[in-house]
Amino acid sequence: MTIHSLPWLDWTPGDRVVVRYRASDGVHDALGELLETAPEHVRIRARRGDVLVKAETMITGKLVSKRSQIAE
């Protein structure tokens, strides 16, 4: 049996991440602040609210740069 690493366990709450995952209505991306990581899931604060992405639905994910602030 091969045990794959779980890269999201190396992420830190507060990091900005994007995770692509499968749902019953297709493939979605959750982009935002990482709130929680666990072997079974990640929780991300996205623009439209908090998103819980279960590990078995994840396709890919990565750290992304902080959102730029537009000068006023």
Side-chain angles (χ1 to χ4, degrees):
M1 173 193 245
T2 301
I3 297 176
H4 299 282
S5 67
L6 305 175
W8 61 90
L9 292 179
D10 293 332
W11 301 344
T12 303
D15 287 343
R16 190 162 188 253
V17 300
V18 61
V19 175
R20 179 161 289 164
Y21 63 98
R22 288 184 186 89
S24 60
D25 61 342
V27 175
H28 300 272
D29 291 329
L31 169 66
E33 178 188 351
L34 181 67
L35 299 176
E36 174 188 6
T37 61
E40 303 83 18
H41 68 270
V42 297
R43 186 179 310 273
I44 299 168
R45 173 144 305 140
R47 280 187 177 187
R48 295 183 182 189
D50 294 356
V51 179
L52 178 72
V53 181
K54 294 183 178 181
E56 62 265 17
T57 67
M58 290 183 200
I59 299 169
T60 189
K62 65 180 180 178
L63 296 171
V64 295
S65 60
K66 296 287 182 189
R67 194 171 175 186
S68 63
Q69 299 295 323
I70 298 173
E72 294 181 21

